[in-house]
C-alpha cells in the first residue's frame, strides 16, 4: 500500500511524504504508483516553478519514499502560493484514495 503522510503546521499543509508501493499491479504497470509519483513530482516542480521556492525534497528507492516539505523563511506570498500547491496535490491524492482505497491511504 502507498501511504501519503500530511505534515501540517499552524498555517496548514507544510509537506507531503509518500511511501510504499501500492501493489495494484506489477512493477512498471501499477497505475496507483504512477499516479502517486506524478502527483508528488508535479508538486515539487510546481513549488519551484510557480511559487518560486526550492522545496526540501528527500527520496530513497529502498524503501520507496519521497518527501516534499516547505523550507523556512518564506515570504507571505510564497507561503500562500506554496500551500495552494500542496493542497492541490493533496486533493489529487484524496481523489486517487477514493478510487483505490485498498492501495493508497492518507494519514
Amino acid at each position: 500500500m502507498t501511504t501519503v503522510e500530511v505534515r501540517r503546521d499552524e498555517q496548514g499543509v507544510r509537506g507531503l511524504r509518500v511511501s510504499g508501493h501500492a501493489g495494484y499491479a506489477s512493477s512498471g504497470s501499477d497505475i496507483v504508483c504512477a499516479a502517486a509519483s506524478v502527483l508528488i513530482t508535479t508538486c515539487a516542480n510546481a513549488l519551484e516553478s510557480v511559487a518560486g521556492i526550492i522545496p526540501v525534497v528527500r527520496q530513497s528507492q529502498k524503501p520507496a519514499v519521497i518527501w516534499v516539505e516547505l523550507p523556512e523563511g518564506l515570504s507571505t506570498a510564497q507561503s500562500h502560493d506554496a500551500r495552494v500547491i500542496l493542497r492541490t496535490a493533496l486533493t489529487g491524492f484524496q481523489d486517487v484514495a477514493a478510487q483505490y482505497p485498498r492501495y493508497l491511504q492518507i494519514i
Side-chain angles (χ1 to χ4, degrees):
M1 173 172 287
T2 296
T3 301
V4 178
E5 182 180 337
V6 181
R7 303 282 174 112
R8 298 180 189 273
D9 63 15
E10 61 280 348
Q11 295 175 322
V13 179
R14 166 161 201 83
L16 299 170
R17 181 181 183 269
V18 181
S19 62
H21 292 288
Y24 178 79
S26 62
S27 182
S29 300
D30 194 317
I31 60 173
V32 178
C33 280
S37 294
V38 166
L39 283 166
I40 197 67
T41 301
T42 300
C43 178
N45 291 340
L47 287 169
E48 189 169 346
S49 65
V50 176
I53 66 167
I54 306 296
V56 177
V57 178
R58 296 182 208 116
Q59 59 185 6
S60 70
Q61 294 294 322
K62 303 247 185 219
V65 177
I66 302 174
W67 184 347
V68 175
E69 192 166 26
L70 299 181
E72 297 295 326
L74 298 178
S75 71
T76 302
Q78 286 175 317
S79 180
H80 172 269
D81 293 349
R83 290 169 193 279
V84 168
I85 291 165
L86 285 165
R87 287 193 316 265
T88 301
L90 178 56
T91 298
F93 283 116
Q94 290 167 334
D95 291 344
V96 174
Q99 290 294 313
Y100 301 95
R102 291 180 27 211
Y103 303 99
L104 190 141
Q105 71 173 357
I106 299 170
I107 55 174

